[in-house]
Structure formats: structure tokens, C-alpha cells
Amino acid sequence: MSPHPASDLLQTPVTLGALRLPNRIIMSPLTRLRTDAELAPTKLVAEYYAQRASAGLIISEAVAVAPSGEGYPAIPGLFTARQAEAWRTVVDAVHAEGGRIAAQLSHNGRARYATDDVQRAAGWWAVANPLKPHELTPTDLSAMVEAFAQGARTARAIGFDAVEIHNGNGYLLDQFLRAGANQRTDAHGGSLENRTRLALELVTAVSEAMGADRVGIRLSPSATVNGAPDPSGEETFAYLLERLAPLGLAYVHATRTTEQDRRHGSGPGIPLERIRALYPGKLIGAGDFTREDGELAVAEGTVDAVAYGRLFIANPDLPERFARRTALNVPDHATFYTPGPAGFTDYPRLA
């Protein structure tokens, strides 16, 4: 019989590679757009993450590894010395509170926005004329892989406990995996081997820079392709996960199908139980989990830890609230991306 009832399993320690976590309640990467003019996190960002240091692991918002990888304005970067020092302040603040934090490294290719066409309006970034994207050349892809490796080296130097490769959510890297979205005819398109090549190149390069046991990868197996389910999704992810399994990663972070996904055309998607069967390593599950179904997923062995997003936005002390079975603050969607502390660092904590 388990020494812990299922209702307490989220509060138990877990080891993910080199990471020794005091609980299985992970803070999911959450875009918040609180950067300064140089795309560096502000002091308010350090306060925000430090408030949530009781998470087993904080996974930062997506952080661009190159100027050409921002994808859209106002997400933070990790490609200048100024940005690195600002992130060091964030890391130090989390560590001072006894927490652990991973940097989610991202790159969205050469799709950029003309500076003159961007203006801050009512707390949102209004974009008038996004630049037309271009197919990435082999040279671009090599530069991208090196940018991820350099991002990992920088993250390690400034004290991040781990890094996560953002290869999900239907963005550029996820599109490389999809037969319906990847129309390339070179070594990065067509066959399963080719479509998974970039993801495996990134994992290899980042692992060499950071150490594989401090590297995770975010995948969205149920993401849609052009608003429809990916007919080859299960085959693709079975192939990829089989090749990730022997690499000694800290974890795979996979999203399950949510009601919002279904409204957007995902269909039933690929359940986490199927991902678990395909991947023997440590697995973090995400996707609108409650405390109760998170505990059940851990108890059944479907996942090793559970990532919470909006609940962590509104509840900086989420692990304690789960442990005490107390009421949760309700997230204010209107302030998810607005500047300043409102809806960012001002949610109440338990006395």
C-alpha cells in the first residue's frame, strides 16, 4: 500500500533528472509581457516569480534565444548581456525563497514585426503590419540550433536550474513535426526522420550545453494543423518519443487535450496515457488540471508531476492552498498581459 494517499501525492518529492523537487506541482510557462524596452524582465518579474517559489519547479515564460526568434513583441529575450543580468536577478530572487526555476527557451523563426508598426495600446501590443515570414534556410536552421545552445549556456551561467525547449503549442518548432504543416523538401521535411530532425538537433545541442539531466522539452501532441486534428500525430510522436527516451532528459512536458482545444478543432487528441506508454522517462502533464485530477493522474502513474498555469497566476501559494484544501483566487483574464502589478504581483496569499 502506498505510504501516501492519492490525495497527498502532489505534495510528495520527485526527481526529474538532476532536479530534486519537494513537490509535484509545477508552474507552467505563462506569457505575461512584463518586459522593459530592451526585452529584459523587470524587478516586478523577479517579485512575481519569487512569490511562486513554493512550486516544485517554476518553468519561465517563453524566452527568445535570438532577436529573430521573438515571434511577437514584448516577450523577454536571453540574447544580450543586459537581458542575462536581468534574468540573473529573477533567478536569484527565486533561489532566495528556496525555489527552483527553468528557462523555457523559444524561437519563432524569421517572422518579425516592423518596429515602426508596433505601438503599446491599452496594455496590449498592437501590430499593424507583420513582416512576411520566409522559409528558413539550412543556414537559418543551423543558426537557430546554435542560438538554443548559446541560450542554454547563458541560462546555466546565470544560475537557472534547468532549461526547457519550447517545441509545442502549434508554433514554428511544432509545425516542423507536422506532416500537414511542414512542406519542406529538404532534410527537415517529408519523412518522419526529417520532420523530427530539428527537435532532436535542438535537444542534442542544448543537452551538450546544459547537461541532458537538466533539459526538458515541451510538446503539444494534440495541437491542430490548420484547424483540424493531425492525422499523423500519433505516428509522429511515437517516433519522436522513442528517440528521446534514451537521451537522459530531465523530463518531457506534454499537454493533454482541453475543452478549448476541442473547440478549436482538435478532436479527441492524443491522451497523456498514450504518451506515458510511449515514453518511459519522467513526464510532466499539463492542460487545465484541477487538484483532484492532477492527484489522480499521479496516483495512476500517468504523469510524474502536473503543470498548472492560470491557477498559479492567481494563487502564488498554490501548493499550500492545495495542501490545506482551501479556496482558490480566481484569475483576472483582463490583466494577463497588461503592464504593472495589477493581476501580476497583487493576488492575495494565505495568512
Side-chain angles (χ1 to χ4, degrees):
M1 186 174 183
S2 170
H4 297 278
S7 60
D8 289 335
L9 284 177
L10 285 176
Q11 304 292 337
T12 61
V14 64
T15 298
L16 306 181
L19 305 174
R20 309 293 187 263
L21 311 185
N23 63 62
R24 299 167 188 257
I25 303 166
I26 310 300
M27 181 174 169
S28 189
L30 297 157
T31 300
R32 304 308 307 273
L33 304 184
R34 264 76 167 189
T35 56
D36 65 19
E38 298 180 55
L39 302 180
T42 63
K43 291 182 179 179
L44 202 62
V45 173
E47 179 184 351
Y48 164 77
Y49 283 118
Q51 287 177 346
R52 290 153 179 80
S54 62
L57 176 68
I58 293 170
I59 304 173
S60 81
E61 61 210 281
V63 181
V65 295
S68 60
E70 293 159 29
Y72 55 92
I75 73 166
L78 190 59
F79 50 83
T80 71
R82 166 84 172 75
Q83 293 162 355
E85 285 308 305
W87 276 113
R88 187 193 298 274
T89 300
V90 174
V91 171
D92 289 348
V94 171
H95 288 168
E97 294 297 323
R100 296 137 302 278
I101 183 169
Q104 191 192 61
L105 306 181
S106 72
H107 196 300
N108 281 317
R110 293 174 60 188
R112 293 291 309 284
Y113 298 96
T115 302
D116 291 344
D117 294 329
V118 179
Q119 56 181 326
R120 203 73 181 257
W124 289 80
W125 283 101
V127 180
N129 295 302
L131 297 179
K132 183 179 179 180
H134 302 281
E135 181 175 288
L136 294 165
T137 67
T139 299
D140 291 330
L141 293 177
S142 294
M144 179 188 293
V145 172
E146 173 52 29
F148 269 90
Q150 182 56 49
R153 287 190 287 268
T154 301
R156 183 171 186 169
I158 61 179
F160 274 104
D161 300 284
V163 296
E164 177 177 288
I165 299 167
H166 189 358
N167 207 124
N169 294 67
Y171 293 133
L172 176 70
L173 299 183
D174 193 13
Q175 292 168 23
F176 267 84
L177 297 176
R178 313 294 182 155
N182 185 341
Q183 301 299 309
R184 300 177 71 95
T185 57
D186 62 5
H188 287 89
S191 67
L192 273 171
E193 179 182 7
N194 286 355
R195 286 187 282 109
T196 57
R197 188 184 305 278
L198 180 58
L200 294 171
E201 288 173 341
L202 292 172
V203 167
T204 298
V206 170
S207 295
E208 289 175 354
M210 189 77 183
D213 59 356
R214 293 183 181 274
V215 175
I217 184 169
R218 165 92 166 196
L219 302 173
S220 299
S222 299
T224 60
V225 177
N226 299 322
D230 182 355
S232 61
E234 184 158 343
E235 179 186 27
T236 298
F237 284 94
Y239 185 92
L240 176 61
L241 290 166
E242 180 182 0
R243 280 148 186 81
L244 290 175
L247 301 183
L249 298 181
Y251 63 84
V252 164
H253 179 187
T255 59
R256 67 177 182 174
T257 313
T258 65
E259 286 304 316
Q260 182 178 6
D261 294 329
R262 294 186 183 95
R263 289 196 298 272
H264 291 163
S266 72
I270 302 174
L272 287 175
E273 289 80 1
R274 180 59 179 152
I275 303 301
R276 171 79 289 165
L278 293 168
Y279 186 71
K282 295 298 174 69
L283 181 63
I284 297 174
D288 289 352
F289 276 91
T290 64
R291 175 183 60 80
E292 292 83 0
D293 60 2
E295 289 168 344
L296 182 61
V298 172
E300 293 181 341
T302 304
V303 299
D304 298 285
V306 180
Y308 292 90
R310 288 184 290 273
L311 292 186
F312 253 121
I313 287 177
N315 299 275
D317 50 358
L318 187 64
E320 184 178 358
R321 288 176 183 266
F322 276 2
R324 292 166 57 174
R325 307 294 194 265
T326 193
L328 300 179
N329 300 321
V330 177
D332 178 6
H333 291 244
T335 58
F336 279 2
Y337 311 110
T338 54
F344 192 54
T345 55
D346 62 349
Y347 283 103
R349 304 164 81 172
L350 293 172

